[in-house]
Structure formats: structure tokens, C-alpha cells
Amino acid sequence: MGIGTTVNRHRTTHMVDFEQTARTNYQRLYAFALQLTRNPSDAEDLTQHAFYRLAVHIQNLKEENKVKSWLYSTLYRKFIDQRRRTVKFPSVQFEETTNHVEENTKRQERLDHQTVKEMLLSLEEHLRIPLSLFYIEHYSYKEISKLLEIPVGTVMSRLHRGKAELYRKLSETPNQKTGSTDTPTR
Amino acid sequence: MKTDYKELLSAYRPDTADQNDPLFAQALEQLEHDVELKEWFDEQKDMDAEIRAALLTDDAPETLLEDVLEFGAEVKKKNRKIIRFFQPAQLMAIAACIALVGIFAFKDSIINNQIIGYHSALSKVEQKETFRDAMSLWVADTFIVLDHFAEEPAQLVNYLADTGSPVFDAIPANLEQLPTLGCKSFKWKDQTVSLICFHSQEGKIVHLFVLSPSNEPTEAIDQMHQLQFLHDLPSKGWYDENSNKQHMLVGSARDVSLDQFNTQMI
């Protein structure tokens, strides 16, 4: 027999604000979608899909702190589902996304950032996806494991191999400022 | 061994909860003793910070947020329309129409037995001196039409609070876990009483009445916890001095077990 709990706990439910959630998460969600699809247009569609699902189901989502992982999970499942359906078709090549970068961005900075994105995009999917979640959303290995539904050990191994591969690629890239440093190796 | 540490540390996020994760403890300790590993780790930390910063530069299409907000608003509007269709006022109107048809169809029987019986029961409830007696009689003799239906106590509490009816601040934990049927607010001796109906484990109903008494409680506070059978129904309750709220549980049948709810620990 336990002591009763307060009503205030109940009153904190139904507080998920769609607009606030969209403003806070759309950029990183798009960045993740871009790493999945390697195509800006598909990434935009995936991001919109995730937010559309959120708009429809927002009344059922009662815990605000779980909305972000719900969005990522929804987006990832949609990506997997779409890929399953289009598996017979050749994969779409990554398109340049520089047209979206602000005009006043310094050329060198843009190149650095763009190079990092392109190098990550060039990794194999099984390394690229956990790495994207690690970098973009700063997710822990446990969160990545849960979201991608793969064992923790596999996440660890993929993060390690993915990073090593990414560092190697970046160190080989001219004009990349990180290339001049002694990058970590295995 | 060093590769194992490197693999672990590849997943490590500095300045986060990872620093308390036992999985990383040994590898982090090793950094203190292994200069080469520490150097590798520091370089990795710098690289990761740069990569992360690069990936977080905004290159989402300018129209993406606008589009998302636009269809978000559309879906919200659509949801509202659906909800409006089921709003209580309309449901009440439909229920009233059905009731009228029923009244005309079975006029004599209803007027003689139900309505007169209902008002007669209400009048008897008004005359009862104690909250326990009145609420037990209310459950025993009247057909209760609920104002609002929901399966979660929180939704009913919110509904009652919004209508200005008294709501509980705390209830026994095992009562709170029961699914709810609905709620109602009504007047007893010019005071507002709220009622929440829970589905009991016996497949019956546990009624929880809450009242903010305008005067002293009508029953000795120390006796409220005692289980009593009035009008052949079990009842027990409690009084919250801080909020001046009187609570009464009444089972819908004699065999509803109220003993399981510890009202003394609240």
C-alpha cells in the first residue's frame, strides 16, 4: 500500500508544443536525414514526414523529453521502409548542398564544413548512420543502440571504425585544416 | 588491449553523463597512465569537436521550417474540427434528442418510475446529514449520468479542475492505478461535489466523491477511515486538513473491497 501521489504530476502531461519542437529540432533532424539519404530533396521529404507524424500524433505524446527520440526514430524507420521498397533501383548520388549555405559565410570555413559533411557522407552506411547520431545529436552509445535497434557492442565497434575512417579521409583531403594535424589512428 | 580502450573511448562523450558510466571507468583511468593513449584521446576530442561543429552548420532549406509549421497548423485545425464534432455540448444535444424520443415512446413508464424516482432520491440525498450517508444513498438509489468520460484519472482531474469542482490532491496509489470510467460534478447542500468513477478489480465501480466543506466536516475525522456499510454499500474516506477536502469512497456493490485502499497513509 503506497502513499498517494500528487495531482500536479498529471497536470504536466499534454505539454508538447509542435511549433517549439519543430523550431528546436528541424535543422539537426534534416542534417541526420541528409546523412541517411545523401540527397537534399529526399532529406527534406523525410524531415517533413517525421514532423507530419508528430503533428498527427502529438496528442498521444505526453512526455516532452521523449519527443526528440520519437522524431529520430520515426524518421529512421521511414528511411528504412522507403529503402526496402526501392531496393531494386540504383542508389541516388549525393548532390551538392552548397546552394543552401548562407552567402556571407567565409569561403574557407564553408569548404571545411562542406568537406567534413562530404567525407562523412562518403562512409559506408553502417558506419555513417551511428556516427551521424553521435555527432549531430550527441547521442550516447545506448541511445544509438536503442534507436537503430542494434547491440551496444556493434554500436561501439561501428563508432570506432567509422571515426577512424573519417579521420583518415579528412587527413588525406587538401585544404582541410584538420588534415595538417596528426589525426588519431587505430 | 589498447585497441579495446580506444574502441570504448570512441563512444565516450566528454562533459556528459558518460563520465559516470562504469563502462568507461577503466578506459578513463588508463588515460592517466598511458601517455600515447592520452594523446590519441585528446586529438580525437579536438577532431570530434570540429566535426560536430561542421555538421551542425545550418544547411536546411529555408522553406523547410515554414512548410513544417504550415502543415502542423493545418493538422491542428483538422484535429480541432474532429474534436469539435464530438464536443460535450453536441453529445448532450444528441443525448437529449434520444432521451426525448425515449420519453415519448415510453412516457408513462418513465414518468412514473424513473423521473419521479430520480427526484425523490435526490430529495432524500439532500436530507442526509453526513457526507458518507448522502453519497452512499446517491450511489444506491440514483442512476448517475456522468458529465465526462476518460480512462485516465489525470484527464478527469483536469476536466473537474477546469469546471471549478474540488479535486483530490492525493489518493491511495493502488486506487490511482485503476482505470477510470468518467466523472461528474453536482450540488449537495449548496456545495459542489465532484465524483470520479474507477473500475474496481471485481468488475464493479469505486466512486470517489470529493467535497470542500463550507463548515466543519459532518463526520468525526478519525472515524472517516473506518469501513462502514450504509444502504448496503461499503464506504470509507479521509479528510485533508491542509486543503480542507473531504473524500469518500463508495463501492457500487456490497462485495467491492475498499479495504485494499489505505486512506490513513494519505
Side-chain angles (χ1 to χ4, degrees):
Chain A
M1 211 66 77
I3 296 170
T5 48
T6 63
V7 183
N8 292 336
R9 199 188 72 210
H10 299 310
R11 290 186 152 267
T12 56
T13 60
H14 305 292
M15 296 293 282
V16 180
D17 183 317
F18 180 82
E19 185 176 335
Q20 181 62 36
T21 307
R23 284 186 190 282
T24 312
N25 294 290
Y26 86 99
Q27 288 168 345
R28 278 174 294 168
L29 211 64
Y30 173 82
F32 177 56
L34 191 62
Q35 289 297 328
L36 292 177
T37 61
R38 304 205 282 187
N39 178 301
S41 170
D42 290 346
E44 195 175 345
D45 287 349
L46 264 189
T47 311
Q48 287 195 1
H49 168 81
F51 280 113
Y52 176 77
R53 300 281 297 168
L54 175 68
V56 171
H57 294 284
I58 197 158
Q59 285 169 328
N60 304 326
L61 295 170
K62 292 169 188 173
E63 291 178 57
E64 203 173 11
N65 58 353
K66 288 188 178 166
V67 170
K68 192 172 75 177
S69 58
W70 185 92
L71 278 169
Y72 274 86
S73 177
T74 303
L75 189 146
Y76 179 66
R77 279 202 304 270
K78 179 70 176 171
F79 165 72
I80 295 292
D81 186 45
Q82 276 180 347
R83 204 187 43 182
R84 210 173 280 143
R85 287 184 203 172
T86 57
V87 73
K88 288 177 186 172
F89 297 95
S91 61
V92 181
Q93 291 301 306
F94 170 61
E95 293 170 14
E96 289 281 323
T97 57
T98 49
N99 52 331
H100 299 303
V101 178
E102 283 179 26
E103 287 296 323
N104 60 358
T105 308
K106 284 178 190 172
R107 194 172 185 82
Q108 185 58 48
E109 251 180 53
R110 186 173 67 177
L111 181 64
D112 286 341
H113 292 164
Q114 202 56 37
T115 308
V116 171
K117 286 174 189 172
E118 285 173 15
M119 289 302 110
L120 182 58
L121 282 165
S122 72
L123 295 182
E124 285 180 66
E125 186 179 292
H126 71 285
L127 301 177
R128 189 174 76 244
I129 294 175
L131 217 47
S132 303
L133 288 168
F134 180 84
Y135 283 127
I136 295 168
E137 203 45 69
H138 218 200
Y139 271 143
S140 70
Y141 66 95
K142 285 180 195 163
E143 289 167 318
I144 296 170
S145 159
K146 197 174 167 190
L147 206 149
L148 302 182
E149 296 175 353
I150 52 176
V152 162
T154 310
V155 173
M156 292 283 195
S157 158
R158 289 182 185 179
L159 286 178
H160 181 57
R161 285 191 290 135
K163 278 186 176 184
E165 185 70 8
L166 182 61
Y167 297 157
R168 188 187 60 75
K169 282 173 182 275
L170 288 171
S171 69
E172 288 170 0
T173 308
N175 298 330
Q176 185 62 25
K177 63 180 175 182
T178 49
S180 60
T181 61
D182 183 16
T183 54
T185 53
R186 290 185 74 169
Chain B
M1 194 64 183
K2 193 170 279 185
T3 310
D4 291 343
Y5 288 137
K6 283 183 178 177
E7 185 168 312
L8 275 173
L9 292 169
S10 291
Y12 181 75
R13 301 165 305 155
D15 307 319
T16 67
D18 285 357
Q19 53 202 14
N20 300 320
D21 187 334
L23 187 81
F24 298 113
Q26 203 181 348
L28 290 172
E29 201 189 323
Q30 189 62 24
L31 290 176
E32 306 293 321
H33 313 293
D34 189 328
V35 178
E36 194 232 312
L37 186 66
K38 175 81 167 72
E39 203 173 293
W40 173 90
F41 179 70
D42 288 342
E43 282 176 5
Q44 179 187 253
K45 211 162 70 173
D46 293 344
M47 284 282 278
D48 284 351
E50 284 194 55
I51 292 168
R52 187 155 194 262
L55 292 174
L56 291 180
T57 53
D58 175 23
D59 56 11
E62 285 175 11
T63 55
L64 179 61
L65 181 62
E66 283 171 32
D67 291 344
V68 164
L69 294 180
E70 197 176 311
F71 68 61
E74 275 173 29
V75 171
K76 196 176 174 185
K77 212 184 286 173
K78 210 172 164 185
N79 283 347
R80 269 201 199 132
K81 277 182 192 165
I82 294 166
I83 291 164
R84 202 174 293 137
F85 181 75
F86 293 104
Q87 270 180 355
Q90 286 175 314
L91 279 177
M92 293 276 280
I94 294 165
C97 290
I98 293 168
L100 276 176
V101 171
I103 286 170
F104 282 115
F106 304 102
K107 194 167 60 180
D108 292 342
S109 148
I110 287 174
I111 288 174
N112 291 337
N113 301 320
Q114 302 289 322
I115 296 177
I116 291 173
Y118 180 78
H119 284 294
S120 155
L122 278 188
S123 147
K124 283 182 195 165
V125 167
E126 275 295 315
Q127 287 165 18
K128 292 294 175 189
E129 286 304 313
T130 67
F131 186 48
R132 184 197 292 258
D133 197 1
M135 296 307 107
S136 297
L137 181 61
W138 168 264
V139 173
D141 276 11
T142 58
F143 178 75
I144 300 171
V145 180
L146 297 174
D147 299 339
H148 186 68
F149 296 87
E151 289 180 2
E152 284 185 31
Q155 292 173 334
L156 300 177
V157 166
N158 289 344
Y159 174 85
L160 289 166
D162 290 344
T163 58
S165 306
V167 289
F168 62 81
D169 289 334
I171 56 173
N174 54 346
L175 176 62
E176 192 184 22
Q177 284 161 11
L178 296 179
T180 53
L181 172 66
C183 65
K184 182 176 182 63
S185 146
F186 58 95
K187 292 280 181 189
W188 177 67
K189 292 187 184 296
D190 294 326
Q191 302 165 101
T192 306
V193 177
S194 69
L195 161 66
I196 293 181
C197 297
F198 295 83
H199 287 284
S200 78
Q201 284 164 342
E202 300 89 356
K204 292 176 180 158
I205 302 290
V206 175
H207 302 81
L208 169 62
F209 295 95
V210 183
L211 164 76
S212 292
S214 43
N215 300 309
E216 288 294 303
T218 52
E219 186 179 354
I221 293 170
D222 56 350
Q223 285 179 9
M224 285 182 195
H225 299 289
Q226 290 171 4
L227 181 70
Q228 288 183 24
F229 286 85
L230 294 176
H231 311 284
D232 206 30
L233 297 177
S235 60
K236 68 189 289 194
W238 72 95
Y239 177 69
D240 183 346
E241 280 180 85
N242 295 328
S243 62
N244 182 35
K245 282 178 194 157
Q246 195 174 344
H247 308 74
M248 188 55 61
L249 297 171
V250 181
S252 61
R254 193 175 177 84
D255 59 348
V256 174
S257 167
L258 298 184
D259 284 332
Q260 60 181 306
F261 305 121
N262 190 344
T263 53
Q264 285 180 308
M265 287 185 72
I266 298 169

